[in-house]
Amino acid sequence: MKMKKISFLLVLLMGIVNAQKLTPAEISIISQGEISTALPIYQTTDGHQHKTLLSLSSEIDPTDPQTAVLVKRMKESLLSTDGGVGIAAPQVGINRKVIWVQRFDKQGEPLEYFINPVIVWKSDIQNLGPEGDLSIPDFRDQFYRSKVIQLEYVDLKGQKYSEIVEGFTAVIFQHEIDHLFGILISDKKEREKNEAYKKVDAYQKSDLMRR
């Protein structure tokens, strides 16, 4: 366990050092309009925006002042939706590793941000449940997701964290982190048609699942 923690610290430190500075184009998107307002959510129906959604995201410097602005405006974007429970930076046009997730596993079900999140372990046990996406109009389908994950990430101060997440909240994390790899659920469904799964558990809170 000690060796694992040391390895995690080295990976995070290397990531922060290697994180490229935000480009002028990214800063322009982040700073457009009022800082306290929502950024527009990208849609697959727009060719340019769809390309951004399919692109791989890179790590971001958590201590960069622009990162804090991005985090704040992403939250406003999520709050502007009708029932959204998570959002990833590519969905506002920034291919960087930042997500917001509603924590149904915590009292009060708060919204929380995560910078440079990494899923380091997933359970073999999976749940089946419906998913939608804020960036894909009129699309909803059933997906299998691991019931439990181990997540590692940093906050805006660069503080490192590791935690175990399960259930519905774990599903949201997996969906949002998929966005950071350019994976959309519409494409995921096509790939899964050739994969075999064994249903192992009933899915709960299906009426809440919309990201």
Side-chain angles (χ1 to χ4, degrees):
M1 180 61 73
K2 185 175 181 180
M3 180 63 69
K4 183 176 182 180
K5 288 183 178 179
I6 293 174
S7 177
F8 171 48
L9 289 175
L10 287 174
V11 170
L12 283 175
L13 287 172
M14 290 176 62
I16 293 173
V17 171
N18 294 328
Q20 296 179 348
K21 291 184 178 180
L22 290 166
T23 66
E26 289 173 324
I27 294 174
S28 176
I29 292 173
I30 294 169
S31 60
Q32 66 183 3
E34 296 294 326
I35 292 178
S36 60
T37 61
L39 289 166
I41 296 176
Y42 276 33
Q43 301 294 307
T44 56
T45 50
D46 179 285
H48 171 72
Q49 295 180 4
H50 193 186
K51 183 177 180 180
T52 298
L53 291 166
L54 293 175
S55 298
L56 187 67
S57 292
S58 57
E59 292 193 336
I60 194 169
D61 180 356
T63 61
D64 185 328
Q66 291 294 334
T67 300
V69 176
L70 173 61
V71 168
K72 177 177 176 57
R73 299 199 69 185
M74 282 178 61
K75 182 179 183 180
E76 294 302 321
S77 297
L78 181 55
L79 290 173
S80 73
T81 67
D82 180 17
V85 295
I87 194 169
Q91 292 180 280
V92 296
I94 305 294
N95 287 122
R96 297 288 181 155
K97 294 182 177 181
V98 183
I99 64 173
W100 276 91
V101 168
Q102 186 164 4
R103 299 298 301 262
F104 290 100
D105 58 337
K106 291 187 176 182
Q107 185 174 3
E109 301 180 349
L111 290 174
E112 296 181 354
Y113 75 88
F114 303 85
I115 297 175
N116 300 332
V118 178
I119 295 174
V120 297
W121 174 82
K122 295 181 179 181
S123 68
D124 291 331
I125 298 177
Q126 298 179 323
N127 280 337
L128 175 67
E131 295 183 34
D133 196 294
L134 297 174
S135 294
I136 310 175
D138 305 317
F139 180 85
R140 194 173 183 82
D141 213 323
Q142 299 281 327
F143 295 88
Y144 281 96
R145 298 282 190 178
S146 292
K147 186 174 182 178
V148 186
I149 62 171
Q150 181 178 355
L151 180 76
E152 295 176 344
Y153 59 94
V154 299
D155 63 16
L156 286 169
K157 296 180 180 179
Q159 179 67 44
K160 306 160 191 67
Y161 300 90
S162 178
E163 62 177 298
I164 301 294
V165 184
E166 60 182 303
F168 180 57
T169 304
V171 172
I172 304 173
F173 272 111
Q174 290 170 81
H175 178 108
E176 301 309 333
I177 290 176
D178 270 357
H179 270 296
L180 305 182
F181 291 91
I183 299 172
L184 301 176
I185 55 173
S186 52
D187 301 322
K188 184 180 178 68
K189 178 53 61 176
E190 289 300 313
R191 289 197 296 272
E192 286 184 351
K193 286 180 179 179
N194 296 321
E195 297 179 11
Y197 288 94
K198 179 181 178 181
K199 186 175 180 179
V200 294
D201 199 1
Y203 193 81
Q204 302 298 318
K205 294 189 177 181
S206 60
D207 57 324
L208 295 173
M209 195 59 186
R210 182 168 177 266
R211 285 173 306 287

